[in-house]
Amino acid sequence: MAGSTLGELFRVTNFGESHGPAIGCVVDGCPPGLALSEADIQFELDRRRPGTSRHVTQRQEPDQVEILSGVYQGVTTGTPIALLIRNQDARSKDYGNIAETFRPGHADYTYWHKYGVRDPRGGGRSSARLTAPTVAAGAIARKWLKEHYGVQVRGYMSALGPIEIPFASWDAVPENPFYAPNADIVPQLEAYMDELRRDGDSIGARIEVVAENVPVGLGEPIYDRLDADIAYAMMGLNAVKGVEIGAGFASVAQRGSEHGDELNPAGFASNHAGGVLGGISTGQPITVSIAIKPTSSIRTGRQSIDKAGEPVEVSTLGRHDPCVGIRATPIAESLMALVLIDHVLRHRALCADVRVSTPVIPGQAPGSPTL
Amino acid sequence: MAGSTLGELFRVTNFGESHGPAIGCVVDGCPPGLALSEADIQFELDRRRPGTSRHVTQRQEPDQVEILSGVYQGVTTGTPIALLIRNQDARSKDYGNIAETFRPGHADYTYWHKYGVRDPRGGGRSSARLTAPTVAAGAIARKWLKEHYGVQVRGYMSALGPIEIPFASWDAVPENPFYAPNADIVPQLEAYMDELRRDGDSIGARIEVVAENVPVGLGEPIYDRLDADIAYAMMGLNAVKGVEIGAGFASVAQRGSEHGDELNPAGFASNHAGGVLGGISTGQPITVSIAIKPTSSIRTGRQSIDKAGEPVEVSTLGRHDPCVGIRATPIAESLMALVLIDHVLRHRALCADVRVSTPVIPGQAPGSPTL
Amino acid sequence: MAGSTLGELFRVTNFGESHGPAIGCVVDGCPPGLALSEADIQFELDRRRPGTSRHVTQRQEPDQVEILSGVYQGVTTGTPIALLIRNQDARSKDYGNIAETFRPGHADYTYWHKYGVRDPRGGGRSSARLTAPTVAAGAIARKWLKEHYGVQVRGYMSALGPIEIPFASWDAVPENPFYAPNADIVPQLEAYMDELRRDGDSIGARIEVVAENVPVGLGEPIYDRLDADIAYAMMGLNAVKGVEIGAGFASVAQRGSEHGDELNPAGFASNHAGGVLGGISTGQPITVSIAIKPTSSIRTGRQSIDKAGEPVEVSTLGRHDPCVGIRATPIAESLMALVLIDHVLRHRALCADVRVSTPVIPGQAPGSPTL
Amino acid sequence: MAGSTLGELFRVTNFGESHGPAIGCVVDGCPPGLALSEADIQFELDRRRPGTSRHVTQRQEPDQVEILSGVYQGVTTGTPIALLIRNQDARSKDYGNIAETFRPGHADYTYWHKYGVRDPRGGGRSSARLTAPTVAAGAIARKWLKEHYGVQVRGYMSALGPIEIPFASWDAVPENPFYAPNADIVPQLEAYMDELRRDGDSIGARIEVVAENVPVGLGEPIYDRLDADIAYAMMGLNAVKGVEIGAGFASVAQRGSEHGDELNPAGFASNHAGGVLGGISTGQPITVSIAIKPTSSIRTGRQSIDKAGEPVEVSTLGRHDPCVGIRATPIAESLMALVLIDHVLRHRALCADVRVSTPVIPGQAPGSPTL
């Protein structure tokens, strides 16, 4: 689908600007019969919310969601679910000078060239604030996937700038503001961020997302492969510059005898594929890694031009995340869930009544997403 | 768009199997008025064609394209352009054992689980042979982009397995079977491939694609960003496991003061963005890097299971590329061109002023692209 | 596009239920640079609004629209325009008995069978109240079409039940609650409606829509013909059971020598085609006629069943239009405008020459619709 | 979907011109596991084929279809099914003068204005010959619908110009070249056509299509209603100027107490709705009526202009149907089947696993398309 809509069958249409009256989305194509309340969605929104630690933007937004439609007596009706989030803490005057100049590395330049007009307040439509509706829609997808197939989508930060974060435990992830899967490294991350803030600079990060209990058979070759749609969704997240699935760039130097995951009657022996072969899910965990660039809005002065093409030095005031990667984990998880639910619906449209006769593994019926 | 169709406005619908009667595509949405002949398309198909060196599959396919529709008196008419390529050198008997077992790392397993039936001959629909129609469609896109905006899309191999290939010159690229931009390294690449063939193994590769003279303003945030659509197209190419744009994964460790490309009245001072900011093209070269995994069809024996779930050793006969990356460059270029033309059409729908309000002038069709 | 979205490039995604907290839509794909205020939209909403005469439902809804996004400093920015209308006068208790039974001729039955759950309050999602967002979106389309090409879309009632309404003058249309183009017949219409209300019954109507100054060349054969998309949009309006373009069903008995509109150097000599030939606009007025069935919600008792399949007599309380056709004119006009703007954008994508190759001029954004 | 593609999930992409090398289509989204051979498709193509009686065009085309992909060992694989029909009896020289002038009532004028170029041979892309691929795709849809749900789609001619054809029996339909459901009237139809041919003129017709055993619950409000998509498909058939569903235009003069179909425990008592309520199928027969205009290509001389805007008299040679309605019945049936299969797939994507607890009629589970 085009423009501001994600998905073919589970469609999320996003709207809003950073400092406009509201942001939100319409979720069309959600199956009927799912128990759904605002609390289900709020939980995920709160994970993404700004202002929750000193390492992220200090903008105070409750990000309180209102369900406007599509739910009756606590259950989805199969009709569009409109979600509304009012903006509350916009301080547009901080952005006065941005309207006339282009921040290096920022969408200021391209929006203005594309549209001829743009809303500069808080980055307008290009602000990462617009990921909140994605997270809200993702919460619905996650709940449905969990209830129907036990799908679990989780993510964590694996690198903050130059600091590699070794995976220790999923339990550590919700215990720190970085989504780091390793409690021991948190002080080092905090110290790094404190120094960065003093420098008026920003930094990149790498995030991993893992989806477990994914039904086998999701994805439509040639073009709408599951991995292609995951790459599309992830690269569409603000500031992402790279996406890997499974072995990713490491597969360049691998031989086929090493990369190809062997099978035995109990299942796969490894997962270099990252859960996708030929564009279709294998049933193994889907593993994705994304690279997030440093924020372009920094206090440090930089060379740029204004709308008249004259040279200017730009240093950005306003409130910004010095590392957008810190809040990216729940967003990337949401995008994964949105791609998965869309492909589950597509799969059951195309293949739902196929009854493959010989199961591969005793007790497991291949081709059936209902298991 | 869904399934086997790429693009929203310049739409390529792919069909065929490796050993079926024919492969091809329908290109719908090509603007009228483009001079187009089969020779224009054949040139690009020949760059991708198998059997042209000892380092690729020895299947002999002329890949001769027939234009079935959409072109009248050598000019596109604005109606669907159907392209047909007959398969000629299929040796399906080589694949008899594949029908009952799953090659490690191959789509055999997932196709069977998804659809319950599959055409195993030569990999059926999952074969990289199905990239030929993509290249054919891409040839049309490239010609149109070149003529209208001077867009040039070029690619090269930057790594063959463990061998990094330093960029020396574009001129070297067409002079060797690897699309290596460096004549000096070719003997090393050839020796590596010869050894690999002796080992009955395969290897990965990394490919770079660069698009120059891209109009500024292409791409539709939030979701259909230009970089998102490029990532989608590239990850949808057989065997691709990773995609980077601009600085890619290197941006993880970069500071904002380093990554953000400064501007001056003459233009951008660097291109860490890879030509895309906020999902919209900047007018700078778009630079993409992709990781290609090693072929799964290798002679070396590997552990797997058959359809009944019983353990088997699989070693693949038939003719296969030991490094699919070798022929990937023209395909990746084609995908880039297809994404770009689609976004040019989308951009002019949304943002360009239509000049069709002129009354009908005798002898001249209003709305004609020749005006 | 699917489900609750109308249009390919100018996309309207509708949400809401009759008695939910709000109704509205997201308009994605509106070109940037259009001056737009809530007043522009409110004008058309007020033409459709309930409670404005004794012949329509007495529900009191201000239908006040709020623009949530996509407009900055009074001008569209090219990003999604979200429109919100809060429901205010819902009296859900009137509908208690409807929840368990099916009104003859009403969507009660099919919604329940499709989704398994439904919101019965005021007809829920199936209520004609959900045409308000269509009218709101249509107001934007109309303004843009008017400003760019002088397109004018107008409609009128040509029959109220058995009463044929001869066309007298466009001037009469806004002067009476029926959109009748003939002041003399209004008393007869009023008397008819008064009698109908006394009978507790409802009646059908026929509406004509005419679009003038339509650019030539709109429409995409084979399938997305302009007339096909108009038929789709009109048949999708609640209660419509028939659509004609140009001579419509009268063309069944016409000979080719009568039907085919002759041309001369000054233009067409007649318009049996209704402004569309081969699925593409001719530049003549597009003329459409639609049949609207009588409302299913009537006081008169009728035989039906309840959810348990037991026979019941249903007579509908609550507030309903005894002739939905009375308020249908502005809605049908809006649908026409929405189809036209979508095809204008599609046409300029495919056939118009882009003027964006000009280099960046200081102070002026290339690609801007104001150039 | 856009342009030359019909359907959201069962997608038919049409290509070709009347006198080009070939016509055909790609059917993407057909579920795997359907037994399918060329004979299945040929049967329907032969019903539409030209040259089978003196009352239709004398062009001799075998319309022999070749399946190029998507079928393996006689069974669909879930991948795109490409269908190819070579043109054989093109006599392009008969159309020389058409290239420079516009036939009144023909797409000549609009194609030229839209695209600036056009293929005039045999009407090029605007020829009704392009309905052959629709029929071929429809044959697949019909077979699948029949096997899964027992859906039966049938049509007949109900009026030939001024001659009303009373329905006598379905058995009569295949026994005459008009698809008239009444053997007694056939001599009158033949005499009328013979006279028409002598006059060098053409005539309109009305066709009825009925779909039986349609699952309840198909259709997606607000916009993609089942009736809206049927109207779209039918109005997109060459020469169609009007579409009615159920009571159609007769509903204008009906009261609600007459129109609304009452229910009792055994089912509906009437079918004014034509099988669709609120845009969703009721399970009753879907009844559609379409108006077909007279062919524009007639021998009788008519006033027109040439490309230079100069007045000319046009009389059309070449071979043409004097009543395109005669061969329209199998095409309209095919379109109905294509819309139905698309909505079955959409329904099972959205609602497949809904389990409505209380069936309306004992022994029948509402909401389940698998019954």
Side-chain angles (χ1 to χ4, degrees), chain D:
Chain D
M1 286 249 172
S4 294
T5 299
L6 180 74
E8 288 288 320
L9 293 184
F10 189 95
R11 292 174 296 277
V12 182
T13 300
N14 180 299
F15 66 84
E17 284 89 28
S18 183
H19 289 200
I23 59 176
C25 64
V26 180
V27 178
D28 193 14
C30 180
L34 176 71
L36 186 70
S37 71
E38 276 137 356
D40 293 323
I41 299 168
Q42 200 63 49
F43 174 80
E44 294 294 340
L45 280 173
D46 289 348
R47 295 178 67 213
R48 192 215 72 98
R49 197 156 60 83
T52 54
S53 83
R54 72 179 185 274
H55 307 300
V56 298
T57 173
Q58 294 306 298
R59 180 169 172 177
Q60 294 300 324
E61 286 288 351
D63 278 354
Q64 202 165 334
V65 69
E66 182 185 5
I67 299 175
L68 296 177
S69 65
V71 176
Y72 178 64
Q73 296 182 333
V75 171
T76 60
T77 59
T79 58
I81 303 168
L83 302 175
L84 185 69
I85 299 167
R86 292 275 174 186
N87 289 323
Q88 306 210 349
D89 186 28
R91 296 189 199 156
S92 301
K93 64 179 158 44
D94 294 351
Y95 295 85
N97 67 325
I98 288 176
E100 299 302 315
T101 62
F102 306 121
R103 281 166 283 182
H106 196 277
D108 293 339
Y109 181 86
T110 51
Y111 268 69
W112 187 71
H113 278 73
K114 181 177 189 69
Y115 299 110
V117 296
R118 73 185 174 98
D119 176 352
R121 301 166 303 161
R125 180 101 181 121
S126 73
S127 167
R129 177 149 186 72
L130 271 306
T131 59
T134 300
V135 168
I140 302 174
R142 294 168 86 138
K143 189 161 197 277
W144 191 88
L145 287 166
K146 184 72 175 290
E147 294 189 2
H148 280 69
Y149 309 104
V151 175
Q152 183 171 35
V153 181
R154 295 186 290 192
Y156 60 90
M157 180 184 278
S158 60
L160 176 73
I163 309 171
E164 287 289 323
I165 304 173
F167 183 89
S169 156
W170 283 112
D171 295 341
V173 174
E175 304 295 322
N176 65 80
F178 303 97
Y179 295 89
N182 188 323
D184 297 344
I185 211 166
V186 172
Q188 190 184 342
L189 302 178
E190 298 203 306
Y192 185 87
M193 290 305 299
D194 290 340
E195 187 192 328
L196 195 70
R197 265 201 316 283
R198 278 192 297 272
D199 294 351
D201 213 335
S202 63
I203 192 69
R206 193 175 63 239
I207 305 294
E208 314 294 321
V209 182
V210 180
E212 291 163 279
N213 300 327
V214 174
V216 66
L218 307 185
E220 286 194 58
I222 297 295
Y223 296 118
D224 281 359
R225 295 169 187 243
L226 184 63
D227 42 1
D229 278 351
I230 290 170
Y232 159 83
M234 296 297 168
M235 195 67 92
L237 203 172
N238 302 47
V240 170
K241 300 303 286 183
V243 180
E244 294 181 310
I245 294 183
F249 279 88
S251 58
V252 169
Q254 288 178 325
R255 289 196 162 204
S257 54
E258 174 191 5
H259 179 90
D261 304 304
E262 295 191 311
L263 291 113
N264 57 57
F268 286 94
S270 59
N271 190 15
H272 292 107
V276 185
L277 286 173
I280 302 173
S281 63
T282 63
Q284 285 195 287
I286 297 178
T287 59
V288 176
S289 183
I290 59 176
I292 297 181
K293 72 173 187 180
T295 320
S296 51
S297 300
I298 54 177
R299 263 195 358 259
T300 304
R302 309 215 67 214
Q303 295 309 311
S304 187
I305 55 172
D306 62 16
K307 279 175 161 184
E310 295 301 315
V312 290
E313 189 183 273
V314 174
S315 82
T316 311
L317 305 179
R319 298 157 301 175
H320 294 282
D321 285 281
C323 173
V324 283
I326 292 178
R327 290 162 59 208
T329 295
I331 311 169
E333 293 168 2
S334 297
L335 287 164
M336 172 70 91
L338 289 168
V339 172
L340 290 177
I341 195 172
D342 193 47
H343 275 282
V344 166
L345 299 186
R346 291 167 73 164
H347 179 72
R348 73 183 193 185
L350 186 66
C351 298
D353 68 338
V354 176
R355 296 290 173 245
V356 177
S357 46
T358 325
V360 174
I361 296 160
Q364 194 181 3
S368 168
T370 59
L371 288 191

Side-chain angles (χ1 to χ4, degrees), chain A residues 325-339:
Chain A
I326 292 177
R327 290 163 58 208
T329 296
I331 311 168
E333 293 168 0
S334 297
L335 287 164
M336 172 70 90
L338 290 168
V339 172

Side-chain angles (χ1 to χ4, degrees), chain B residues 72-97:
Chain B
Y72 178 63
Q73 296 183 333
V75 171
T76 60
T77 60
T79 59
I81 303 169
L83 303 175
L84 185 69
I85 299 167
R86 293 274 174 187
N87 289 324
Q88 306 210 350
D89 186 28
R91 296 191 199 156
S92 302
K93 64 179 156 45
D94 294 351
Y95 295 86
N97 67 325

Side-chain angles (χ1 to χ4, degrees), chain A residues 313-336:
Chain A
E313 189 182 273
V314 174
S315 82
T316 311
L317 305 180
R319 298 156 301 175
H320 295 280
D321 285 280
C323 173
V324 282
I326 292 177
R327 290 163 58 208
T329 296
I331 311 168
E333 293 168 0
S334 297
L335 287 164
M336 172 70 90

